[in-house]
């Protein structure tokens, strides 16, 4: 996987999703540029642990944020650019609570 920044507008969402799933499966840190709900842009390095679909077909990325040290949620539409690194995951994932809003059901690539 390339270490160069990929702009999501320049590729299909399937390509972006495929790269993020591979980063999750190989436990590689990923730096993303995203726009939050207020329109503010931010750059974060994350460790992706779960990729889910919503009932309306949206895609949610659950990841540990290295800046915050906490689990965060991003929608695929919020991610504007990303780089998958060679460095591995280093953060411990907190135990999820029973009945949490996001079940431990990951979206995986079929091989």
């Amino acid at each position: 996987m390339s270490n160069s920044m990929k702009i999501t507008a320049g590729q299909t969402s399937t390509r972006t999703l495929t790269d993020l799933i591979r980063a999750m499966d190989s436990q590689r840190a990923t730096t993303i540029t995203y726009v939050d709900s207020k329109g503010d842009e931010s750059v974060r390095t994350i460790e992706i642990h779960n990729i889910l679909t919503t009932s309306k077909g949206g895609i949610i990325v659950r990841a540990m944020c290295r800046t915050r040290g906490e689990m965060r949620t991003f929608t695929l539409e919020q991610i504007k650019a990303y780089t998958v690194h060679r460095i591995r995951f280093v953060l411990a994932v907190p135990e999820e609570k029973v009945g949490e809003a996001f079940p431990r059901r990951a979206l995986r690539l079929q091989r």
Side-chain angles (χ1 to χ4, degrees), residues 5-13 16-17 20 30-36 41-42 44 46 48 50-51 59-63 73-83:
M5 184 66 79
K6 295 185 180 181
I7 308 300
T8 57
Q11 62 188 26
T12 65
S13 58
T16 301
L17 184 57
L20 296 179
T30 303
T31 297
I32 60 169
T33 300
Y34 76 99
V35 177
D36 68 17
E41 189 172 282
S42 182
R44 300 282 174 90
I46 61 173
I48 303 169
N50 217 346
I51 298 177
I59 297 173
I60 296 171
V61 176
R62 293 280 291 155
T73 301
F74 307 92
T75 63
L76 194 63
E77 295 81 29
Q78 286 177 297
I79 299 172
K80 302 304 174 192
Y82 64 95
T83 300

Side-chain angles (χ1 to χ4, degrees), residues 59-75:
I59 297 173
I60 296 171
V61 176
R62 293 280 291 155
M64 289 296 293
C65 173
R66 286 190 172 180
T67 302
R68 303 271 186 208
E70 299 174 341
M71 188 65 76
R72 296 292 190 183
T73 301
F74 307 92
T75 63

